[in-house]
């Protein structure tokens, strides 16, 4: 199912943009202060993004990507029925084991990103190993989809250190994708708790952390998405939210 991409051109917290009448008698050279000023250059995107623009009534549902094949396909079917595009940050070794899911995710109108190759505690690894984890997953994404994806999310840590951000940038990911709402669904608290925890923290521009491979998360999705829409919040991909 193809999802309608909403234009996201309003200025927000994460992006910056970046004539008078001639005299009748004498023509004077304009003073330096009268010269038109050049438009400011856009500010560079930060090395890590935690949330999107707070003046935009959208939220990005982002999934840490690994799980049993059939459960993931069930998740995709539920999202298709709900017409809710999401961003999946995929573990490379999981995609190696389930290569068909990469195309299924993209064909469903969702987007894929990088969540390291082996889902190791990346913050504890030496610099060279961090870089290898990122690039190895990028290679899998490129082989299966033709693209490395736009976003990198580090594994087993909610935030990327400055050093890890540099390794992600070396690997072709200028910005790490963090989140400001943790659903805690990986603790398997039950669907009602997943909905409640998410709604308690969500705002305009929020990036929500969810996980594939957890039945309670799948069960929570219809109620969660309905509640977001009731608040006027539209689920979109991370790229739509942040562009």
């Amino acid at each position: 199912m193809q999802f309608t991409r909403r234009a996201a051109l309003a200025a927000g917290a994460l992006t910056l943009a970046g004539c008078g009448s001639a005299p009748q008698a004498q023509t004077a050279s304009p003073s330096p202060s009268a010269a038109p000023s050049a438009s400011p250059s856009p500010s560079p995107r930060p090395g890590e993004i935690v949330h999107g623009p707070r003046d935009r009534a959208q939220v990005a549902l982002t999934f840490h990507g690994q799980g049993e094949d059939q459960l993931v396909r069930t998740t995709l079917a539920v999202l298709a029925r709900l017409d809710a595009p999401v961003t999946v940050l995929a573990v490379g070794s999981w995609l190696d084991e389930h290569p068909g899911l990469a195309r299924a995710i993209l064909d469903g109108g969702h987007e894929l990103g990088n969540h390291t190759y082996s889902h190791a505690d990346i913050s504890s690894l030496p610099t060279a190993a961090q870089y290898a984890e990122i690039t190895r997953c990028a290679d899998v994404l490129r082989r299966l989809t033709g693209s490395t994806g736009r976003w990198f999310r580090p594994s087993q840590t909610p935030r990327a250190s400055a050093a890890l951000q540099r390794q992600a940038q070396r690997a072709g990911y200028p910005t790490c994708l963090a989140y400001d709402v943790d659903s805690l669904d990986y603790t398997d608290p039950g669907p009602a708790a997943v909905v409640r925890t998410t709604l308690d923290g969500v705002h305009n521009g929020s990036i929500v952390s969810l996980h594939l491979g957890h039945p309670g998360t799948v069960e929570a999705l219809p109620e969660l998405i309905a509640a977001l829409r009731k608040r006027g919040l539209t689920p979109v991909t991370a790229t739509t939210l942040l562009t």
Side-chain angles (χ1 to χ4, degrees):
M1 173 176 294
Q2 295 296 323
F3 297 99
T4 300
R5 300 278 184 160
R6 296 169 175 82
L9 300 178
L14 303 176
T15 54
L16 298 172
C19 324
S21 300
Q24 295 180 353
Q26 298 180 351
T27 301
S29 299
S31 65
S33 61
S37 58
S39 298
S41 299
S43 297
R45 188 181 287 276
E48 182 172 75
I49 287 179
V50 177
H51 62 78
R54 291 304 194 191
D55 61 353
R56 192 172 297 171
Q58 297 174 330
V59 295
L61 302 181
T62 66
F63 284 80
H64 300 243
Q66 60 180 346
E68 189 271 326
D69 186 288
Q70 189 53 53
L71 184 57
V72 173
R73 292 185 184 276
T74 299
T75 306
L76 295 177
V78 171
L79 291 169
R81 188 176 75 246
L82 298 171
D83 193 23
V86 302
T87 298
V88 176
L89 291 309
V91 176
S93 58
W94 172 71
L95 286 180
D96 266 342
E97 295 174 4
H98 306 279
L101 287 176
R103 182 49 56 187
I105 290 167
L106 294 179
D107 287 349
H110 313 294
E111 66 177 343
L112 267 174
N114 185 323
H115 194 41
T116 75
Y117 183 79
S118 65
H119 204 259
D121 180 2
I122 195 167
S123 294
S124 69
L125 298 179
T127 298
Q130 291 177 345
Y131 180 69
E133 279 284 330
I134 301 168
T135 56
R136 191 175 180 189
C137 182
D139 289 343
V140 174
L141 288 166
R142 186 185 295 107
R143 171 166 49 83
L144 294 177
T145 70
S147 169
T148 60
R150 184 168 185 174
W151 307 106
F152 167 71
R153 174 172 289 170
S155 50
Q156 298 198 41
T157 178
R159 299 287 184 270
S161 66
L164 182 53
Q165 290 175 31
R166 288 193 291 272
Q167 298 313 307
Q169 290 161 2
R170 281 184 62 206
Y173 298 95
T175 304
C176 299
L177 187 67
Y179 48 88
D180 63 317
V181 179
D182 189 348
S183 70
L184 300 176
D185 62 337
Y186 62 91
T187 65
D188 295 316
V194 172
V195 173
R196 182 173 60 253
T197 300
T198 302
L199 294 179
D200 283 348
V202 77
H203 302 281
N204 280 13
S206 282
I207 300 173
V208 181
S209 169
L210 295 158
H211 291 73
L212 297 177
H214 293 264
T217 303
V218 183
E219 294 178 47
L221 286 174
E223 182 179 351
L224 174 59
I225 291 171
L228 290 172
R229 286 175 170 150
K230 187 174 182 180
R231 292 187 181 186
L233 297 172
T234 301
V236 297
T237 64
T239 293
T240 297
L241 178 67
L242 300 171
T243 303

